[in-house]
Amino acid sequence: MSNRDDAATATHCPYCALQCGMNLRRTPDGAGVTVEERADFPVNLGALCGKGRTAPAVLSSRVRLTGPLVRTHAGGPLVPATWEEALDAVAEGLARTGRAHGPDAVGVFGGGGLTNEKAYALGKFARVALRTSQIDYNGRFCMSSAAAAHQRAFGLDRGLPFPLEDIPRTGCVILVGSNPAETMPPFLRYLTELKANGGTLIVVDPRRTRTAEQADLHLAPRPGTDLALALGLLHLVVAEGRTDEEFIAARTTGWAQARAAAMAHWPELVERITGVPVPRLREAARMFCAPESAMVLTARGPEQQSKGTDTVGAWINLCLATGRAGRPLSGYGCLTGQGNGQGGREHGQKADQLPGYRKLTDPAARAHVAGVWGIDPQSLPGPGRSAYELLDALGTDVRALLLMGSNPVVSAPRAAHVEERIRSLDFLAVADVVLSETAALADVVLPVTQWAEETGTTTNLEGRVLLRRRALTPPSGVRSDLEVLHGLAARLGVEKGFPTDPEEVFEELRRASEGGPADYSGISYARIEAEQGVFWPCPPDSPGTPRLFLDRFATDDGRARFVPVSHREAAESPDAEYPLLLTTGRVVAQYQSGAQTRRVAELNAAAPGPFVELHPRLAARLGVADGAPLAVTSRRGRAVAPARITDTIRVDTVFMPFHWAGEGRANTLTNPALDPVSRMPEFKVCAVRVEPA
């Protein structure tokens, strides 16, 4: 791929996990780039959403950081500094804390937007240079529940165990808690093609979203009841004789226990729990079982719950009981959200994992990775805290923090508390492309390169490893995250092992992942370019693996495991003081915490600020007009935003998007109650009261 001024550079969008292909062409003055369609990339065939088309706007020096900033005294302002001064300050702040309080008093928090190379280097830096166990990343808030359920049932976690191209060719898709019309618009073509091919679409969502408008059947359960809904469908499948007994006997274990658990959730009970009428439950079961193939796809709706792992497990049980797994054009999959949410957790950012999806508690895994890193396996720390637990420990057990590519002041649950914890740190260093709300609280801010200014790999929601090529020279005052880690490691006494060339880092990642569940050892930059991406697992001499589990599952005996699960209520239920339910989500023109998209004029014009979506009957009861300020209060805090009255939401539910800081910050309200397996917070449901502000 040429980087000549007159040639386009083939790369990928910096936002969601589709990682849509695009071409970047230098502007005539050579100072910037424009986006062009890249019709040859199979995921999006040239289609881009507004965020992708406007992505170069964040490259502008008018909105991004162009030099390091240092706070010279407590309570003072951030002021410009040289890179040497900034790196010295970070190294000293981290080292000073480690000397005074031990290595685990130093924390590292990463991001699901970091490339594979940066995620790998950050995990290595935490464990080798800092010797701390306290590392996790914001991808814990993305699909960790689905990952845990995948591991439990199939023995391996990859968002989609099949390529996107299979979706239009199946007979029925149940889409649970996902609104790709807003979150990843180019994905909609797969659903449009599905229906054009005669397939059917069932959407499960408490709101009649733009995606639900396209469904053949829309089920609108009460937030927090997706688990009961899945169990009710499985009950009907059993009662109506729609199970695939041959598949169950040949390729699964644990069916008797899972069946017994499901049979305790009869249709009338499920209707009372979910609010979904029995006839609609029966119609959904019929539609799912009628064709020869079918899929269930989940997203944050069922996953961001304190029972998210069990909820996803119930949908997997439905797939297994009907033979809709481990077969062509069938299966369960998760629509990963963040750009590198998949790859970001495969190579060491997660508190309990080593590169290649190896378990940090596995002696063989520790020995292999330590051998690649040239260290004693005994020196590797054990598992640390999960993301929210790490943030909650700031200022007490964890006294200093290095944060890369995340904005928890906006994105974390119980955000006011998290902001307070961050403010209580002895030392905070943030590496980011913009001065986010979290970066503004730091002692040192390190300005780093962006997607168009650096080369590196990402792994999209299919498990397709992709290559972004550098198309533009970054501003002179900006360095890459790899250069930051190299400089910090050297100052902390680790002179080798942190190269700044991304391809050199990837070559080491290949060796570290070899033989692991997420084996990248057969993948190279050249091969990625030649093949439009390579699907992992890909051992040496492998063609890659677009479709998993067709011959056997990744468990010891090759069989998928049914896991018996039962419905339980959300951590909070409505009561007299907090009579309504809040659920949160995204809008099409903004992304995640909004740190980048809120700096793009075109996107802000389309989505200028937060709002509270509520049903007309609820609005009439409250005496609220459209656009009037509404106060939403939970047990954790209060947010204020304009009312948006619509009949597309349940009467007992209000919705807020979570992209904004300030008084409209939705995550001020959300509940940090954690799933016991995945440690996912319960973003998607909490009890609130609503009143005119």
Side-chain angles (χ1 to χ4, degrees), residues 147-158 247-254 316-317 320 325-326 359 517 537 548-563:
H150 260 128
Q151 292 280 7
R152 253 182 3 185
F154 305 138
L156 181 67
D157 159 40
R158 197 178 82 186
F247 176 87
I248 291 169
R251 300 201 58 193
T252 72
T253 61
I316 291 175
N317 286 349
L320 293 174
K359 294 180 180 178
L548 298 170
F549 314 140
L550 295 182
D551 300 316
R552 68 188 311 276
F553 293 96
T555 56
D556 291 341
D557 59 5
R559 291 170 173 260
R561 305 184 191 99
F562 281 99
V563 177

Side-chain angles (χ1 to χ4, degrees), residues 192-240:
T192 302
E193 291 175 22
L194 167 76
K195 298 185 68 175
N197 291 339
T200 54
L201 174 65
I202 302 169
V203 171
V204 178
D205 199 302
R207 303 163 63 223
R208 192 172 74 247
T209 62
R210 287 174 52 203
T211 306
E213 295 275 4
Q214 301 191 19
D216 298 285
L217 179 65
H218 172 215
L219 307 179
R222 179 173 169 262
T225 64
D226 312 84
L227 175 53
L229 180 65
L231 288 163
L233 293 179
L234 183 52
H235 177 111
L236 287 169
V237 164
V238 175
E240 296 173 0

Side-chain angles (χ1 to χ4, degrees), residues 83 87 449 478-488 499-500:
W83 267 99
L87 290 174
T449 51
V478 171
R479 296 186 182 181
S480 74
D481 294 274
L482 295 180
E483 290 173 318
V484 168
L485 294 175
H486 173 87
L488 292 178
T500 59

Side-chain angles (χ1 to χ4, degrees), residues 194-334:
L194 167 76
K195 298 185 68 175
N197 291 339
T200 54
L201 174 65
I202 302 169
V203 171
V204 178
D205 199 302
R207 303 163 63 223
R208 192 172 74 247
T209 62
R210 287 174 52 203
T211 306
E213 295 275 4
Q214 301 191 19
D216 298 285
L217 179 65
H218 172 215
L219 307 179
R222 179 173 169 262
T225 64
D226 312 84
L227 175 53
L229 180 65
L231 288 163
L233 293 179
L234 183 52
H235 177 111
L236 287 169
V237 164
V238 175
E240 296 173 0
R242 299 181 186 274
T243 56
D244 188 332
E245 296 297 330
E246 182 179 349
F247 176 87
I248 291 169
R251 300 201 58 193
T252 72
T253 61
W255 170 230
Q257 295 86 348
R259 179 179 57 203
M263 297 313 288
H265 298 76
W266 60 93
E268 292 76 15
L269 173 63
V270 171
E271 178 179 320
R272 288 200 299 272
I273 294 171
T274 66
V276 177
V278 170
R280 285 184 166 261
L281 295 173
R282 294 189 185 279
E283 179 65 4
R286 184 198 64 77
M287 289 172 62
F288 184 65
C289 294
E292 292 185 3
S293 60
M295 298 174 177
V296 173
L297 305 176
T298 69
R300 306 302 79 73
E303 297 162 18
Q304 287 182 327
Q305 298 184 30
S306 60
K307 53 183 182 292
T309 303
D310 284 356
T311 301
V312 172
W315 290 105
I316 291 175
N317 286 349
L318 178 65
C319 290
L320 293 174
T322 53
R324 268 77 163 111
R327 286 177 169 171
L329 307 182
S330 289
Y332 163 77
C334 167

